[in-house]
Amino acid sequence: MTNLLRNALMGPGHTSFDAARILWVVGTVAFIIGAMTFQGIAVAKGQAFSMIEFGTGFGGGLATILALGGAGISLKDRGVARASATLATEAPASPTV
């Protein structure tokens, strides 16, 4: 499980952690903790709390965070892969003597 989480948070090439992936996870966890906190406060005050209204009030809620975060990371990784492929196909300049 640890390797799965570590590999999910690492960027292309698995040489270092990717800030975008880490922020994506932090945002998702913050959304879930915020929902639980607001629900607990509402219940403690005797108020009604609808998790559906809370989620849709944030523009689709967690689904939006996951979809847009995944799309952004995918676009970035494709750009990195394209740049790496371009650099790999260019022949190194021969030194002039």
Side-chain angles (χ1 to χ4, degrees):
M1 183 65 167
T2 305
N3 283 339
L4 176 69
L5 182 61
R6 187 168 44 114
N7 288 338
L9 295 177
M10 296 188 96
H14 298 287
T15 56
S16 63
F17 287 100
D18 186 10
R21 294 169 194 255
I22 292 171
L23 290 173
W24 186 32
V25 170
V26 168
T28 303
V29 170
F31 181 86
I32 293 169
I33 290 173
M36 290 179 185
T37 302
F38 288 133
Q39 183 176 14
I41 291 170
V43 170
K45 290 182 175 182
Q47 299 172 345
F49 182 85
S50 170
M51 187 65 78
I52 294 172
E53 291 177 10
F54 177 79
T56 56
F58 280 91
L62 187 58
T64 303
I65 292 172
L66 292 174
L68 293 178
I73 291 170
S74 173
L75 289 171
K76 181 188 66 65
D77 286 350
R78 287 181 190 168
V80 169
R82 195 172 297 126
S84 296
T86 303
L87 290 175
T89 58
E90 293 177 356
S94 59
T96 56
V97 180

